[in-house]
């Protein structure tokens, strides 16, 4: 019976192994449906009023090739474009790329930006030289986008900067987090795609082209203040009693305080009394990991 | 055996000393002090009856109405009215009521003169824009129904003085009438009301006092117009200024006939130029005119004859005339002379005068404060002093012992209490081991700097800064902040620390700035200067030069940075650190926050030392939906003990600790007004956590249906903010805690042992932040005036929030109540960790008011300073009153309390030793007897 059960389990496992990639593949296919599927909402954003999600979910970054076709506008949404400008240490900003997003109108009158795409212009030789100079002097690389997407001629720009030395990796890796409120951009968090080491070392990229990751973020709503007269009542009835976590073993609970005690034990019993025996052959009683402690004495 | 018993006793004593959290009645005043003030007086009415106490009733700029003892200056009673309820005028009626007119003539109240109880209150309908006047007849008789008249614009209200009922109401004119002067000739039932209609017409009304009937009115227009000021010089002549303020116009209105006579001021006063201002009426035929820093007193004889009596140069203030007898009048003049004030009392005939009492009421208007350590105790204290104090010490402890053993009689109990309150130790002018004794250096609105001793709150020194006084170069100076300038550590024995006071010559941002450096121990002004540039922000830097002066950056109106002190040494330090210096500015009007670094274009000019800003980031809040309501940062000098937070199940969370986090709260522009002015659907609040170096928004959360006023406090990795929830009709407090996830992997012990952790790697704000946020909201019953958090020397002690409540008290609320990890049913391990089960509102425990039974009237700010003793935090709260105390959020675990009885301990030891000897002798005897048996 035991063996049969075992076989049944391995069969289930096998089925899981087979089915999981298929399921994942299905999941991926939904990404292709982006143009029609309104439910998918914000890329990289997350539905409001979901406090369970961590603040910074690492979704698969959406990388867009410059030659990608623009989505065709549907009845209740239209496409908007706004440009990214950069400053390579000069006094003026110059165009560096274009963001394309879809403007979605809601029935209650609000408008939101969704499905952000980004295409970067290739760096000219002149810009490349300026960037190299920035890298040398550890200067700031500054970008800006208009704060109002619908009316980009306005004077207000949202500016963001990073030390130029944070960007180069294999290529120039950049990461945009665009905080929006309706059609307004509140801020752009611009920086390297990962960590920026300190001290910042001078390093040139292998490839002088940008790899851009973009995330659109809307505000999340605060969880409601708990008002729970009814929950307290339910708790009294024994209904609302939460499932108790499994009680931890003694060792799991008290491993840390027992550490010094354990090392003392080793010192006196292993190190002092049996030290000769230790040198000749490993004792059965002491685990191999204790070697470090043994070396200490 | 005896040792064990002794140890047991010691432990028992130790425990018994730390059990109590709240204060016992006899502990009030041991560590705390409370001072009552009223503020700068605007208006005073003297009440000098032949019998009984002589009083003066005053109204002040802090909106206090108070009754003071005329002989000593003590406060009999006082009331602080709300901010929106400004007092316009105070009068005494019938010798038993104080009547106050406030809210622009909208509210009239009567208070009982002896005890300050409110008798009645009347709300009047007045137009908000017009000036209001209170008139109380001088010849009122007790028994008759006397009337109080309130003039507001063109309306007169007559109220009964006994119950505040409106007896009659009269509208004099439909035009824009401004009544300037009201008086009643002796023994008549007619009131004369004089005023201007528009800017060019003078009007005099004769109104029946009893009925409000207008008996007669006369008007006349004056073609060059009036500026709106008038001064009554006699019963039938009033002097006004014309629209250009260069002509004096005397108007006579005898028997309903109005005559004008104008005099060109330069003809009277040859040195006159510019514009003149009339000062409040002196009545007795004397007119006071203020012409550009000189006051000229003129005697008016008839309509067209004016004679200069006296010229007073550079006066600061001049009092109203005070009638001494039927004929005599006196008034006082204040003049500044360097650091002193001259006070002159002038009479019609010569009399001598002297100052009977004075009150330091500038302390009611503190704008900023800082603390300074006291001098280190030096060698060579005289023997006599030591002996004296030793004797006192022994005597004190003997008395205390008696008190503890309940042997003291009532006199001795009183003596014990007196000793405790006037403890020599706590008032010493030297540094103490626990760091309880400090100087609180406060800056008042008038530009006076005072040092208060934390022991008893006495003023150690005070200085009225000459640079913060009105002068030709600096038109309208006012004080902004006070900062530490120099804190000597290496030369603490020889050098005194100093503070810097920053001010500005005018309320615009482009007005020149003022710096003044003052010795913290003596109050001596070392240096003061009016800067060539303006002061927009001032930033103390965490660097000191070779003389231990703190480096400060002053940002001017053009956002250029200027370094102080301007020495080559400090410039060198600054230029080395410049790549790592970032700053930000919050432009509330434009709804933008911008971040900058500094750069130096070209060579540095040492005299200018001017650094240019480079904009690095900006955050633009959409004006249609958000408006910046409040920003909050961590305190610069806050110390965090550890980044790791051990949570239940021996798990670790790493706090995201950055000194560069800025909390910003924005509200819906519509909902910026008062609570209840909008529906919950129209109101929202956004809370932001922003990194001020990179400009990243670390967290953004919205609260729907929430409205200001918002108060926030930030510390370590958390922020607590207070606002109003329109949906729940209650105040709410929210907490956001931010944790670093990039260090989450460091839980594996082997990684730590083998050094494969990133705990020592430097953190760069340019890295993508991996943070997680926990938040929770709780209801809170009170509205809040101010919030602060306790600060301790090493940051080990748990924190308490200090909340200034609407009742002007300070409530200490444990931070554990505002833990976002509270849940309805905490697990066993969470309970062990100290997590309190979730409730929907925060508890207000009456014992946790740090101000116990006292009120800090008009509470505006709470300042916390760490003591040297880790468990203790010093709390200074100010408003109209001052209150100082020290609190121990986790109880005083590291010291014995002050009332610990050493004598009792000594006695116990002696008793134990004696018992030991006796038992030893007994046992020896017994043993001997055993052996003999």
């Amino acid at each position: 019976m035991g063996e049969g059960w075992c076989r049944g389990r391995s069969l289930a496992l096998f089925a899981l192994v087979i089915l999981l990639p298929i399921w994942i593949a299905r999941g991926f296919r939904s990404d292709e449906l982006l143009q029609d599927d309104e439910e998918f909402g914000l890329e990289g954003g997350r539905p409001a009023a979901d406090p369970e999600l961590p603040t910074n979910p690492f979704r698969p970054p959406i990388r867009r090739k410059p030659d990608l076709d623009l989505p065709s506008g549907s009845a209740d949404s239209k496409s908007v474009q706004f440009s990214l400008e950069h400053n390579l240490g000069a006094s003026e900003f110059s165009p560096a790329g274009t963001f394309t997003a879809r403007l979605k109108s809601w029935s209650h009158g609000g408008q939101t930006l969704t499905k952000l795409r980004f295409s970067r212009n290739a760096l000219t030789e002149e810009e490349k030289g300026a960037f190299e100079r920035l890298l040398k002097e550890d200067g700031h690389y500054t970008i800006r986008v208009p704060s109002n997407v619908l009316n980009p001629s306005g004077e207000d720009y949202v500016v963001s900067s990073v030390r130029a030395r944070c960007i180069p990796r294999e290529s120039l890796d950049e990461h945009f987090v665009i905080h929006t409120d309706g059609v307004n951009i509140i801020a752009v968090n611009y920086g390297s795609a990962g960590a920026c080491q300190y001290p910042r070392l001078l390093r040139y990229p292998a490839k002088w082209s940008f790899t851009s990751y973009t995330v659109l973020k809307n505000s999340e709503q605060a969880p409601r203040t708990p008002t729970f007269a009814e929950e307290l009542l339910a708790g009294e009835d024994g209904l609302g009693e939460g499932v108790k976590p499994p009680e931890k073993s003694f060792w799991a609970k008290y491993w840390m305080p027992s550490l010094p005690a354990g090392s003392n034990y080793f010192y006196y019993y292993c190190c002092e009394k049996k030290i000769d025996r230790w040198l000749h052959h490993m004792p059965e009683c002491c685990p191999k990991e204790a070697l470090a402690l043994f070396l200490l004495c | 055996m005896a040792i064990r018993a002794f140890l047991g006793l010691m432990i028992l004593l130790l425990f018994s000393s730390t059990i109590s959290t709240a204060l016992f009645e006899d502990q009030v005043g041991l560590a705390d002090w409370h001072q009552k003030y009223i503020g700068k007086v605007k208006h005073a009415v003297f009440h000098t009856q032949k019998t009984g106490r002589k009083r003066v009733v005053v109204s002040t700029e802090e909106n206090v109405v108070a009754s003071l003892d005329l002989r000593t200056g003590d406060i009999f009673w006082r009331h602080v009215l709300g901010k929106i309820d400004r007092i316009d005028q105070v009068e005494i009626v019938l010798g038993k009521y104080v009547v106050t007119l406030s809210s622009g003539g909208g509210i009239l109240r009567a208070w009982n003169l002896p005890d300050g109880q409110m008798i009645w209150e009347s709300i009047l309908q007045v137009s908000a824009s017009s000036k209001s006047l209170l008139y109380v007849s001088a010849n009122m008789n007790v028994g008759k129904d006397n009337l109080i008249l309130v003039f507001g614009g063109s309306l007169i209200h007559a109220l009964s003085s006994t119950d505040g009922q409106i007896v009659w109401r009269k509208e004099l004119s439909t035009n824009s009438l401004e009544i300037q002067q009201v008086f009643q000739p002796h023994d008549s039932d007619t009131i004369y009301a004089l005023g201007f209609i528009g800017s060019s017409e003078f009007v005099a009304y004769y109104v029946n006092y009893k009925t409000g009937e207008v008996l007669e009115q006369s008007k006349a227009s004056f073609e060059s117009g009036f500026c709106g000021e008038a001064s009554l010089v006699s019963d039938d002549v009033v002097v006004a200024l014309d629209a250009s303020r260069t002509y004096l116009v005397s108007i006579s209105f005898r028997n309903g006939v109005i005559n004008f006579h104008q005099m060109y001021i330069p003809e009277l006063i040859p040195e006159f130029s510019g514009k003149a201002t009339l000062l409040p009426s002196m009545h007795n035929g004397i007119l006071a005119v203020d012409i550009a820093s000189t006051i000229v007193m003129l005697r008016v004889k008839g309509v067209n004859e004016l004679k200069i009596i006296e010229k007073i140069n550079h006066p600061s203030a001049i009092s109203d005339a005070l009638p001494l007898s039927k004929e005599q009048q006196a008034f006082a003049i204040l003049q500044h002379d360097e650091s002193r004030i001259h006070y002159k009392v002038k009479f019609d005939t010569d009399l001598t005068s002297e100052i009977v009492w004075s009150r330091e009421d500038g302390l009611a208007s503190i704008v900023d404060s800082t603390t300074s350590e006291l001098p280190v105790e030096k060698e060579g204290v005289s023997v006599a002093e030591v002996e004296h104090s030793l004797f006192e010490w022994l005597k004190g402890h003997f008395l205390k012992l008696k008190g503890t053993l309940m042997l003291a009689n009532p006199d001795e109990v009183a003596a014990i209490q007196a000793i405790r309150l006037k403890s020599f130790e706590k008032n010493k002018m030297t540094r103490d081991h626990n760091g309880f004794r400090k100087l609180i250096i406060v800056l008042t609105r008038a530009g006076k700097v005072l040092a208060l001793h934390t022991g008893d709150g006495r003023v150690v020194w005070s200085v009225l800064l000459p640079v913060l006084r009105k002068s030709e170069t600096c038109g309208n100076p006012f004080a902004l902040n006070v900062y530490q300038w120099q804190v000597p550590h290496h030369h603490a024995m020889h050098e005194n620390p100093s503070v810097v006071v920053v001010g500005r010559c005018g309320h615009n941002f482009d007005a020149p700035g003022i710096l003044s450096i003052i010795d913290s121990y003596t109050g001596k002004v070392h240096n003061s200067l009016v800067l060539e540039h303006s002061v927009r922000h001032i930033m103390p830097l965490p660097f000191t030069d070779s003389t231990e002066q703190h480096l400060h950056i002053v940002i001017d109106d053009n956002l250029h940075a200027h370094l102080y002190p301007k020495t080559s040494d400090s410039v060198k330090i600054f230029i080395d650190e410049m790549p790592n210096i970032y700053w930000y500015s919050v432009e509330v009007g434009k709804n933008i926050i911008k971040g900058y670094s500094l750069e130096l274009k070209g060579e540095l000019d040492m005299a200018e030392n001017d650094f240019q800003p480079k904009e690095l980031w900006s955050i633009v809040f959409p004006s249609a939906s958000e408006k910046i309501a409040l920003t909050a940062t961590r305190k610069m000098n806050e110390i965090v003990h550890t980044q790791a937070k051990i949570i239940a199940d021996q798990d670790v969370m790493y706090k995201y600790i950055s000194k560069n986090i800025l909390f910003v709260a924005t509200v819906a522009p519509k909902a910026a007004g008062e609570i209840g002015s909008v529906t919950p659907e129209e109101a929202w609040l956004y809370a932001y956590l922003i990194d001020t170096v990179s400009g990243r928004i670390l967290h953004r959360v919205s609260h729907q249906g929430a409205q200001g006023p918002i108060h926030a406090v930030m510390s370590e990795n958390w922020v607590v903010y207070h606002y109003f929830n329109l949906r729940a009709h209650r105040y709410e407090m929210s907490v956001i805690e931010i944790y670093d996830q990039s260090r989450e992997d460091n839980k594996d012990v082997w990684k730590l042992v083998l050094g494969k952790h990133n705990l020592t790697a430097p953190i760069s704000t340019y890295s993508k932040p991996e943070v997680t946020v926990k938040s929770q909201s709780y209801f809170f019953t009170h509205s809040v005036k101010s919030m602060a958090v306790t600060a301790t020397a090493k940051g080990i002690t748990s924190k308490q929030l200090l909340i200034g409540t609407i009742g002007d008290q300070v409530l200490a609320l444990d931070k554990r109540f505002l833990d976002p990890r509270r849940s309805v049913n905490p697990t066993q391990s969470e309970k062990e960790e100290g997590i309190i089960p979730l409730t929907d509102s925060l508890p207000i425990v009456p014992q946790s008011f740090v101000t116990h039974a006292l009120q800090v009237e008009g509470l505006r700010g709470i300042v916390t300073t760490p003591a040297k003793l880790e468990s203790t935090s010093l709390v200074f709260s100010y408003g109209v009153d001052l209150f100082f105390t020290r609190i121990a959020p986790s109880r005083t675990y590291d010291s014995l309390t002050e009332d610990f009885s050493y004598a009792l301990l000594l006695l116990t030891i002696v008793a134990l030793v004696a018992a030991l000897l006796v038992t030893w002798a007994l046992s020896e005897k017994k043993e001997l007897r055993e052996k003999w048996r």
Side-chain angles (χ1 to χ4, degrees), chain A residues 53-131:
Chain A
L53 273 175
T55 340
N56 214 342
F58 199 77
R59 292 280 182 97
I62 294 110
R63 194 181 143 194
R64 295 290 160 211
K65 295 251 162 57
D67 55 349
L68 202 81
D69 283 343
L70 296 174
S72 57
S74 67
D76 63 339
S77 66
K78 60 174 187 180
S79 150
V80 285
Q81 280 198 341
F82 52 96
S83 68
L84 172 90
E85 294 176 317
H86 67 175
N87 184 340
L88 291 156
S91 53
E92 289 296 310
F93 279 88
S94 58
T98 313
F99 282 101
T100 311
R102 279 172 73 190
L103 191 66
K104 192 172 173 212
S105 301
W106 296 93
S107 54
H108 56 74
Q111 287 178 313
T112 47
L113 292 172
T114 58
K115 292 171 196 165
L116 186 77
R117 276 122 208 251
F118 178 53
S119 74
R120 247 285 181 188
N121 301 348
L123 282 177
T124 61
E125 277 305 309
E126 198 183 321
E127 284 173 329
K128 198 179 142 188
F131 205 100

Side-chain angles (χ1 to χ4, degrees), chain A residues 55-56 58 140 157 159-161 163 180-181 184 186-187 189 194 196 198 219-222 225-228 253 255, chain B residues 579 582 616-618 620 622 625 686 696-697 700-702 704 732 749 762 764 766-769 777 779 838 840:
Chain A
T55 340
N56 214 342
F58 199 77
H140 284 96
Y157 283 93
V159 183
S160 192
S161 308
R163 290 272 180 189
T180 62
D181 180 76
N184 294 296
I186 294 172
N189 297 356
C196 179
Y198 188 86
S219 102
E220 63 182 271
Q221 208 162 12
T225 314
T227 36
F228 50 120
K253 253 179 150 174
W255 64 269
Chain B
Y582 298 87
L616 291 184
W617 55 266
S618 65
V620 182
S625 59
Y686 283 96
R696 282 176 194 273
I697 295 181
R700 177 172 183 238
V701 67
S702 73
Q704 293 298 321
E732 236 176 54
V749 187
S764 168
Y766 289 115
S767 300
K768 208 175 88 186
S777 304
F779 293 122
L838 184 66
D840 55 358

Side-chain angles (χ1 to χ4, degrees), chain A residues 79-225:
Chain A
S79 150
V80 285
Q81 280 198 341
F82 52 96
S83 68
L84 172 90
E85 294 176 317
H86 67 175
N87 184 340
L88 291 156
S91 53
E92 289 296 310
F93 279 88
S94 58
T98 313
F99 282 101
T100 311
R102 279 172 73 190
L103 191 66
K104 192 172 173 212
S105 301
W106 296 93
S107 54
H108 56 74
Q111 287 178 313
T112 47
L113 292 172
T114 58
K115 292 171 196 165
L116 186 77
R117 276 122 208 251
F118 178 53
S119 74
R120 247 285 181 188
N121 301 348
L123 282 177
T124 61
E125 277 305 309
E126 198 183 321
E127 284 173 329
K128 198 179 142 188
F131 205 100
E132 274 183 41
R133 201 161 51 243
L134 268 187
L135 287 178
K136 259 181 219 150
E137 63 194 26
D138 194 20
H140 284 96
Y141 175 64
T142 309
I143 56 127
R144 70 175 189 188
V145 291
S147 70
N148 191 329
V149 181
L150 294 183
N151 182 22
S153 59
E155 285 196 358
D156 285 339
Y157 283 93
V158 171
V159 183
S160 192
S161 308
V162 72
R163 290 272 180 189
R165 287 189 186 177
C166 292
I167 299 175
R169 290 177 163 196
E170 272 304 295
S171 56
L172 296 165
D173 287 5
E174 57 181 357
H175 188 267
F176 294 89
V177 182
I178 299 183
H179 290 267
T180 62
D181 180 76
V183 293
N184 294 296
I185 296 176
I186 294 172
V188 178
N189 297 356
Y190 179 73
S192 58
C196 179
Q197 297 293 331
Y198 188 86
R200 293 178 289 268
L201 302 172
L202 178 59
R203 183 171 57 175
Y204 294 105
K207 210 166 61 177
W208 281 93
S209 68
F210 278 96
T211 310
S212 312
Y213 303 90
T214 55
V215 174
L216 202 59
K217 248 190 188 176
N218 238 320
S219 102
E220 63 182 271
Q221 208 162 12
R224 269 187 58 183
T225 314

Side-chain angles (χ1 to χ4, degrees), chain B residues 271-290:
Chain B
E271 63 268 33
F272 170 77
S273 66
K275 285 179 174 165
T277 316
L278 284 182
L279 290 174
S281 176
M282 295 270 163
H283 208 283
N284 212 7
I286 296 173
L287 179 73
V289 187
D290 185 359

